[in-house]
Amino acid sequence: MFAVRRNFLRGPLRVTQCGPSLGSGYKVLDLVRCKSTYIPSPDSVYKKPKSKEQIAREKHEADLKSDNWIIRYGAIARSEKFSKALTKYILAAYVVFILYGLNYTKKLYKKDKELEDISAKIDMGVANEYELLRYKELKNTLRTRDVEKLKQYQKIIEKDGTENLDKITLENNDQNKINEKILPARDTTDFYEMKAEEYDEGVSFEEMMIRMGKRRKWLMKHCKGDVLEVACGTGRNIKYLDPTKINSITFLDASEKMMEITNKKFREALPNFKKCAFVVGKAEDLIDLNSKETPVKYDTIVEAFGLCSHHDPVKSLKNFAELLKPGGRIILLEHGRGSYDTINKILDDRAEKRLKTWGCRWNLDIGEILDDSGLDVVEERRTHFGTTWCIVAKRKGDGKKKEEIGFFEKYLGASVKSRIESFTNDGKKQDSLQATHNKPTSETSK
Ligand SMILES: C[S@@+](CC[C@H](N)C(=O)[O-])C[C@H]1O[C@@H](n2cnc3c(N)ncnc32)[C@H](O)[C@@H]1O
């Protein structure tokens, strides 16, 4: 018996046969299209159709030589050799992972140990300036001036091979003082009196382009309880205020004309909200403006783009801290120096023009101002190449709230001890860290 598949042939068919066996041993060897009598050639080669496996093998071999690396690596991954080696690769990756984990834990332990040692010294009031800077470095809170100083200390350590730096205090490199492109602070009240009418129209486009509304929303979502908004300007944040979360709100601005616009906007937006006050005055005079007998304190103090136009931004922040209720927060949305030299150069080169146009010093090192004010920064986020600073700060001595402890800090970043510490009072350390920059230079390294 034999079967003939003829769907791919046209014309009459002949079946050739060969081999000794006939009958049930008959095999179809070749099918040829023939017009007349078919005479098989003695040289005719029998071409066996390729099996599926063979086709797949040939394709795989071609893939292994492919110019396309995705196809090539795909073929390698499918190869038998690779499959056999896979167990070895997985084991190797596992070993690498374990080694990396051990190394990471070792580093973390070393860091924690150093932090603990310096913390103890800070508590005893015997930490030297280098150790205070190391503490900031380990906590990731170094400012530009600290980085410069730390580099100098490291050079001394390398040169002298000593870590005993107790008698050395280096010159400060405060960017806000030594950078001539950061212009001196000035009273901007008259400037904003003149600018008030055109302010909103002037800044709207720029703010829209850099999506500043989103940051203002972030700022105002923190408002709760009794709120003070400093340097409120024309009340650009009012539309992001949730009146159901606040008990009262006080607006403060040095310019009367700016304040009039805020007042109008607030009355229009929230006509039924009665617990509001509009104060014309300076942030630097906040303590004097407050009642001596029954000073008003706040749960939230917010400020947007105000520090750059204050006469004394450090004093303003110190006043905020004094007016804060325990557990209260200071929320700042500011602009200042960025995270990249090229950006800072642009800010520096245009600082004078900016001051003339908008009355602000947009190239200030906000980090330095924060550190000098002695506030404890709970959250610091920077956008727009680091030039927009979103800050949540608290009075030193106040503990962090649970929701303010990030995932990394909670689970990976530090030892249990330092985690507990972050919940509790670390005012002493803040005092010492602040003193790093207020110390008179007793001895300058040669
Ligand atoms: C750049 S505007 C910012 C206004 C507003 N916060 C905003 O985000 O649009 C600066 C504001 O700070 C006010 N200002 C400047 N120095 C101040 C001071 N020492 N105390 C209070 N307000 C001040 C100005 O009058 C002006 O309204």
Side-chain angles (χ1 to χ4, degrees):
M1 293 292 288
F2 57 86
V4 178
R5 275 198 282 144
R6 57 170 299 178
N7 54 347
F8 60 98
L9 296 167
R10 268 184 268 125
L13 289 175
R14 277 195 73 140
V15 176
T16 60
Q17 57 191 358
C18 76
S21 59
L22 289 171
S24 62
Y26 251 60
K27 282 185 185 165
V28 176
L29 295 180
D30 203 357
L31 297 175
V32 284
R33 201 186 313 155
C34 47
K35 284 183 184 146
S36 56
T37 316
Y38 170 67
I39 304 158
S41 147
D43 307 327
S44 65
V45 182
Y46 162 62
K47 209 171 175 193
K48 195 178 171 190
K50 287 177 186 172
S51 67
K52 272 186 193 167
E53 288 76 21
Q54 197 181 352
I55 292 168
R57 204 164 37 248
E58 281 174 14
K59 186 177 177 309
H60 185 236
E61 270 159 25
D63 285 353
L64 282 171
K65 289 176 196 153
S66 168
D67 289 338
N68 184 328
W69 66 270
I70 299 177
I71 296 175
R72 202 167 55 249
Y73 283 112
I76 292 172
R78 289 196 311 276
S79 69
E80 206 176 317
K81 202 172 148 199
F82 184 84
S83 305
K84 280 183 189 160
L86 195 60
T87 320
K88 274 191 254 164
Y89 295 143
I90 290 174
L91 270 175
Y94 186 65
V95 169
V96 169
F97 179 74
I98 295 285
L99 288 178
Y100 178 81
L102 282 174
N103 194 30
Y104 180 79
T105 317
K106 203 172 129 192
K107 273 194 197 156
L108 212 62
Y109 175 77
K110 215 175 139 200
K111 182 180 152 183
D112 255 20
K113 182 84 187 58
E114 193 180 348
L115 258 176
E116 237 170 67
D117 293 347
I118 301 177
S119 276
K121 282 191 170 184
I122 293 174
D123 290 344
M124 289 186 288
V126 293
N128 62 36
E129 192 183 50
Y130 170 70
E131 285 161 338
L132 294 174
L133 288 169
R134 266 300 285 165
Y135 183 86
K136 283 179 104 180
E137 188 181 30
L138 293 168
K139 289 247 171 191
N140 265 334
T141 55
L142 283 180
R143 305 293 177 199
T144 310
R145 64 181 176 189
D146 302 326
V147 175
E148 298 296 319
K149 239 187 201 183
L150 202 59
K151 271 189 210 156
Q152 284 174 270
Y153 271 115
Q154 266 143 10
K155 271 189 196 153
I156 296 170
I157 295 170
E158 271 168 35
K159 201 170 133 222
D160 302 350
T162 174
E163 284 225 13
N164 186 6
L165 303 162
D166 284 349
K167 290 206 175 75
I168 301 172
T169 307
L170 297 175
E171 206 80 63
N172 281 340
N173 339 269
D174 298 1
Q175 300 302 297
N176 290 334
K177 287 185 189 138
I178 62 172
N179 185 342
E180 285 171 4
K181 296 279 176 88
I182 301 177
L183 300 164
R186 59 193 75 190
D187 188 335
T188 55
T189 313
D190 291 344
F191 176 88
Y192 285 103
E193 282 289 285
M194 272 165 31
K195 205 80 185 170
E197 287 303 322
E198 59 180 278
Y199 185 80
D200 274 342
E201 207 186 320
V203 297
S204 287
F205 182 71
E206 185 182 314
E207 289 209 357
M208 189 192 74
M209 292 307 283
I210 56 173
R211 300 185 64 217
M212 198 51 87
K214 199 175 145 199
R215 325 285 168 206
R216 288 186 182 276
K217 200 171 170 186
W218 169 86
L219 179 84
M220 297 309 276
K221 82 167 189 215
H222 290 86
C223 290
K224 58 180 178 200
D226 294 313
V227 178
L228 169 67
E229 183 176 352
V230 181
C232 60
T234 55
R236 295 182 69 77
N237 295 321
I238 291 171
K239 65 175 168 193
Y240 305 105
L241 182 70
D242 179 355
T244 61
K245 278 169 49 184
I246 65 168
N247 176 48
S248 72
I249 186 157
T250 304
F251 294 98
L252 178 97
D253 199 281
S255 155
E256 199 175 334
K257 290 223 170 100
M258 296 289 266
M259 183 56 87
E260 277 166 15
I261 301 172
T262 289
N263 187 307
K264 191 165 169 263
K265 272 189 200 167
F266 189 82
R267 300 283 179 213
E268 277 167 18
L270 302 163
N272 300 321
F273 196 95
K274 300 288 177 249
K275 281 190 172 181
C276 52
F278 302 85
V279 182
V280 175
K282 290 188 180 166
E284 292 86 341
D285 303 331
L286 263 170
I287 306 298
D288 299 333
L289 289 169
N290 210 331
S291 154
K292 300 282 169 299
E293 295 78 43
T294 47
V296 182
K297 299 241 168 175
Y298 300 93
D299 296 287
T300 322
I301 299 179
V302 292
E303 181 170 42
F305 311 114
L307 293 178
C308 57
S309 56
H310 288 344
H311 189 232
D312 188 345
V314 173
K315 186 173 180 201
S316 304
L317 290 182
K318 283 182 176 168
N319 287 347
F320 297 177
E322 268 198 53
L323 294 183
L324 213 55
K325 289 185 196 174
R329 291 291 178 262
I330 295 164
I331 323 291
L332 305 169
L333 173 62
E334 298 291 343
H335 55 185
R337 299 191 84 66
S339 316
Y340 305 95
D341 290 346
T342 30
I343 297 291
N344 290 334
K345 190 172 178 315
I346 296 172
L347 297 181
D348 284 345
D349 290 348
R350 294 169 190 215
E352 215 164 322
K353 194 172 171 220
R354 181 78 190 188
L355 187 75
K356 274 190 196 138
T357 324
W358 292 113
C360 70
R361 300 186 292 157
W362 71 346
N363 54 344
L364 277 175
D365 190 321
I366 300 292
E368 264 181 23
I369 294 174
L370 286 167
D371 284 4
D372 288 345
S373 72
L375 284 176
D376 188 7
V377 175
V378 176
E379 186 184 334
E380 181 176 315
R381 273 197 283 150
R382 291 168 67 179
T383 52
H384 303 129
F385 304 110
T387 58
T388 300
W389 296 61
C390 304
I391 305 290
V392 178
K394 64 180 178 65
R395 293 185 323 174
K396 60 188 170 193
D398 275 0
K400 266 191 193 177
K401 293 172 187 164
K402 269 190 190 142
E403 65 272 17
E404 287 170 342
I405 315 252
F407 176 85
F408 189 80
E409 196 180 344
K410 212 182 268 175
Y411 300 108
L412 302 164
S415 68
V416 175
K417 189 166 179 263
S418 43
R419 261 177 265 153
I420 292 168
E421 193 185 70
S422 61
F423 278 104
T424 54
N425 182 344
D426 60 353
K428 259 190 190 170
K429 275 176 207 85
Q430 275 295 319
D431 273 340
S432 311
L433 294 172
Q434 194 189 346
T436 321
H437 297 286
N438 300 338
K439 261 186 211 165
T441 309
S442 58
E443 191 181 309
T444 309
S445 130
K446 295 126 232 162

